[in-house]
Amino acid sequence: MLYAVLCYNDENAIATWSKEEDDACLARLAMVEDGMKAKGRLGPVARLMPTTAAKTLRKTSGEPLVIDGPFAETKEQFLGFFVADCETLDEAIAFAKDLAKANPGPGAYEIRPLSIFKPSAIAATAP
């Protein structure tokens, strides 16, 4: 079963990290990713730009409306995701726990089974 592991955290807190702190966190996360990659069980991984770079398209009865930023006002923002091929939900939860240990501070990881997955045609070199 493919699972999306969605990462939520306070982007304002993360924005205060120095380059060294951010690099150290990414290195710890890479170690967790490498474990799944070595098993051939890690799919796409993405880190999103800040919500200030986001746009939201609101469906209306007429023409869709595009507004700045995400619509939801929350203390935690959706920062990125991992796609993992896990035999069981428990395995997906264990992967999320390892990610949580590698990523300092508060936040949350949502583990959700995928119902549809279409691999991308975008080159691996794309940002």
Side-chain angles (χ1 to χ4, degrees), residues 2-3 19 30 33 62 77 84 90-91 97 108 119:
L2 292 177
Y3 289 88
K19 179 166 177 15
E33 293 167 19
Q77 293 77 38
D90 288 339
E91 184 182 354
K97 284 181 178 180

mmCIF file of all heavy atoms in Angstrom, residues 2-3 19 30 33 62 77 84 90-91 97 108 119:
data_model
loop_
_atom_site.group_PDB
_atom_site.id
_atom_site.type_symbol
_atom_site.label_atom_id
_atom_site.label_comp_id
_atom_site.label_asym_id
_atom_site.label_seq_id
_atom_site.Cartn_x
_atom_site.Cartn_y
_atom_site.Cartn_z
ATOM 1 N N LEU A 2 0.531 2.196 -0.823
ATOM 2 C CA LEU A 2 1.243 3.468 -0.823
ATOM 3 C C LEU A 2 0.605 4.406 0.194
ATOM 4 O O LEU A 2 -0.616 4.495 0.279
ATOM 5 C CB LEU A 2 1.195 4.112 -2.210
ATOM 6 C CG LEU A 2 1.969 3.410 -3.313
ATOM 7 C CD1 LEU A 2 1.763 4.133 -4.645
ATOM 8 C CD2 LEU A 2 3.445 3.335 -2.977
ATOM 9 N N TYR A 3 1.462 5.067 0.949
ATOM 10 C CA TYR A 3 1.011 6.023 1.951
ATOM 11 C C TYR A 3 1.652 7.381 1.685
ATOM 12 O O TYR A 3 2.830 7.457 1.346
ATOM 13 C CB TYR A 3 1.425 5.580 3.364
ATOM 14 C CG TYR A 3 0.673 4.383 3.860
ATOM 15 C CD1 TYR A 3 1.124 3.098 3.595
ATOM 16 C CD2 TYR A 3 -0.493 4.535 4.606
ATOM 17 C CE1 TYR A 3 0.438 1.994 4.057
ATOM 18 C CE2 TYR A 3 -1.189 3.428 5.072
ATOM 19 C CZ TYR A 3 -0.725 2.165 4.799
ATOM 20 O OH TYR A 3 -1.413 1.073 5.254
ATOM 21 N N LYS A 19 21.123 28.392 8.415
ATOM 22 C CA LYS A 19 21.404 27.454 7.321
ATOM 23 C C LYS A 19 21.978 26.161 7.881
ATOM 24 O O LYS A 19 21.625 25.072 7.422
ATOM 25 C CB LYS A 19 22.360 28.074 6.305
ATOM 26 C CG LYS A 19 22.695 27.098 5.165
ATOM 27 C CD LYS A 19 23.353 27.766 4.013
ATOM 28 C CE LYS A 19 23.773 26.853 2.897
ATOM 29 N NZ LYS A 19 23.261 25.521 2.826
ATOM 30 N N ALA A 30 17.415 12.833 5.572
ATOM 31 C CA ALA A 30 17.990 12.045 4.477
ATOM 32 C C ALA A 30 18.398 10.659 4.957
ATOM 33 O O ALA A 30 18.262 9.676 4.213
ATOM 34 C CB ALA A 30 19.175 12.771 3.859
ATOM 35 N N GLU A 33 15.230 8.731 5.025
ATOM 36 C CA GLU A 33 14.842 8.469 3.636
ATOM 37 C C GLU A 33 15.704 7.372 3.030
ATOM 38 O O GLU A 33 15.198 6.495 2.310
ATOM 39 C CB GLU A 33 14.982 9.743 2.798
ATOM 40 C CG GLU A 33 14.020 10.846 3.173
ATOM 41 C CD GLU A 33 14.396 12.179 2.542
ATOM 42 O OE1 GLU A 33 15.164 12.209 1.560
ATOM 43 O OE2 GLU A 33 13.918 13.214 3.048
ATOM 44 N N GLY A 62 -19.172 30.901 -10.710
ATOM 45 C CA GLY A 62 -18.720 31.464 -11.979
ATOM 46 C C GLY A 62 -17.267 31.103 -12.219
ATOM 47 O O GLY A 62 -16.845 29.966 -12.065
ATOM 48 N N GLN A 77 1.520 24.649 9.312
ATOM 49 C CA GLN A 77 1.310 24.671 7.875
ATOM 50 C C GLN A 77 1.793 23.357 7.266
ATOM 51 O O GLN A 77 2.646 22.678 7.816
ATOM 52 C CB GLN A 77 2.079 25.848 7.245
ATOM 53 C CG GLN A 77 1.563 27.212 7.641
ATOM 54 C CD GLN A 77 1.975 27.630 9.039
ATOM 55 O OE1 GLN A 77 3.077 27.364 9.478
ATOM 56 N NE2 GLN A 77 1.075 28.284 9.749
ATOM 57 N N ALA A 84 5.517 6.658 0.601
ATOM 58 C CA ALA A 84 6.215 5.436 0.992
ATOM 59 C C ALA A 84 5.359 4.223 0.683
ATOM 60 O O ALA A 84 4.141 4.242 0.864
ATOM 61 C CB ALA A 84 6.543 5.478 2.483
ATOM 62 N N ASP A 90 1.098 0.035 10.263
ATOM 63 C CA ASP A 90 2.100 0.109 11.331
ATOM 64 C C ASP A 90 3.480 0.457 10.781
ATOM 65 O O ASP A 90 4.227 1.218 11.400
ATOM 66 C CB ASP A 90 2.159 -1.211 12.112
ATOM 67 C CG ASP A 90 0.944 -1.415 13.002
ATOM 68 O OD1 ASP A 90 0.262 -0.424 13.326
ATOM 69 O OD2 ASP A 90 0.679 -2.581 13.376
ATOM 70 N N GLU A 91 3.820 -0.084 9.625
ATOM 71 C CA GLU A 91 5.108 0.236 9.001
ATOM 72 C C GLU A 91 5.139 1.708 8.578
ATOM 73 O O GLU A 91 6.154 2.388 8.744
ATOM 74 C CB GLU A 91 5.368 -0.665 7.801
ATOM 75 C CG GLU A 91 6.730 -0.443 7.168
ATOM 76 C CD GLU A 91 6.976 -1.308 5.930
ATOM 77 O OE1 GLU A 91 6.147 -2.172 5.607
ATOM 78 O OE2 GLU A 91 8.008 -1.074 5.286
ATOM 79 N N LYS A 97 7.330 8.028 12.494
ATOM 80 C CA LYS A 97 7.989 8.231 13.793
ATOM 81 C C LYS A 97 9.478 8.512 13.607
ATOM 82 O O LYS A 97 10.045 9.376 14.287
ATOM 83 C CB LYS A 97 7.796 7.017 14.694
ATOM 84 C CG LYS A 97 6.409 6.926 15.304
ATOM 85 C CD LYS A 97 6.305 5.702 16.211
ATOM 86 C CE LYS A 97 4.952 5.606 16.858
ATOM 87 N NZ LYS A 97 4.840 4.421 17.738
ATOM 88 N N ALA A 108 3.473 17.808 13.302
ATOM 89 C CA ALA A 108 2.696 16.578 13.147
ATOM 90 C C ALA A 108 3.000 15.948 11.794
ATOM 91 O O ALA A 108 3.387 16.628 10.848
ATOM 92 C CB ALA A 108 1.203 16.893 13.231
ATOM 93 N N PRO A 119 2.628 8.208 -11.354
ATOM 94 C CA PRO A 119 4.023 8.664 -11.369
ATOM 95 C C PRO A 119 4.198 9.843 -12.324
ATOM 96 O O PRO A 119 3.538 9.948 -13.346
ATOM 97 C CB PRO A 119 4.797 7.447 -11.861
ATOM 98 C CG PRO A 119 3.924 6.292 -11.525
ATOM 99 C CD PRO A 119 2.519 6.800 -11.690
#
